[in-house]
Amino acid sequence: MRYVYEFKEDPFGDLRIVLPEEISLFSDIIENIASEEQIDEYIKYIKNVLEGVYEDFEIELNATSIFIKKDISIVENNFRVEEPYKNTIETEQLIELLLVWKEKIQLLAD
């Protein structure tokens, strides 16, 4: 994993992933994934892009969207008041972050 991360609990008791500023918006996407099945689904989409099944793929959530390309993935939050509105990460690193999140929610479920 190229990026440093840590887990914290917010005042409401929800699990948060804290990422470096340059990729901090990816936490908005990751924290909205509540199940292992959903993580596996996202990873499948990403792998389809990496393997050339899709040229690119977009996942849209309430406030954020992620545009997945072979080399990089871009997350945008159109409702933020302050910058940054967009972050970029290597697509392979995105998969690693999703696997870290999956492992954490598995531990919490046990």
Side-chain angles (χ1 to χ4, degrees), residues 18-45:
V18 180
L19 299 171
E21 185 63 32
E22 68 267 21
I23 62 166
S24 61
L25 294 180
F26 282 91
S27 65
D28 296 341
I29 294 280
I30 293 169
E31 292 168 355
N32 278 309
I33 304 172
S35 71
E36 295 174 47
E37 293 80 17
Q38 191 177 13
I39 293 170
D40 291 340
E41 180 182 348
Y42 284 19
I43 289 172
K44 180 181 171 191
Y45 295 142

Side-chain angles (χ1 to χ4, degrees), residues 10 28-29 37 40 44-46 57 64 68 72 80 84 95:
D10 71 11
D28 296 341
I29 294 280
E37 293 80 17
D40 291 340
K44 180 181 171 191
Y45 295 142
I46 296 167
F57 195 84
T64 55
I68 302 160
I72 62 166
R80 284 184 60 103
I95 289 176

Side-chain angles (χ1 to χ4, degrees), residues 41-90:
E41 180 182 348
Y42 284 19
I43 289 172
K44 180 181 171 191
Y45 295 142
I46 296 167
K47 285 186 176 181
N48 280 337
V49 171
L50 292 174
E51 293 167 2
V53 176
Y54 307 140
E55 185 175 330
D56 52 48
F57 195 84
E58 186 171 11
I59 300 170
E60 293 185 26
L61 300 174
N62 292 336
T64 55
S65 63
I66 183 167
F67 188 68
I68 302 160
K69 297 194 259 184
K70 192 169 189 165
D71 295 328
I72 62 166
S73 294
I74 304 161
V75 66
E76 290 185 35
N77 185 325
N78 297 319
F79 296 100
R80 284 184 60 103
V81 176
E82 297 177 9
E83 291 188 25
Y85 307 108
K86 182 189 301 189
N87 285 159
T88 303
I89 192 173
E90 301 84 356

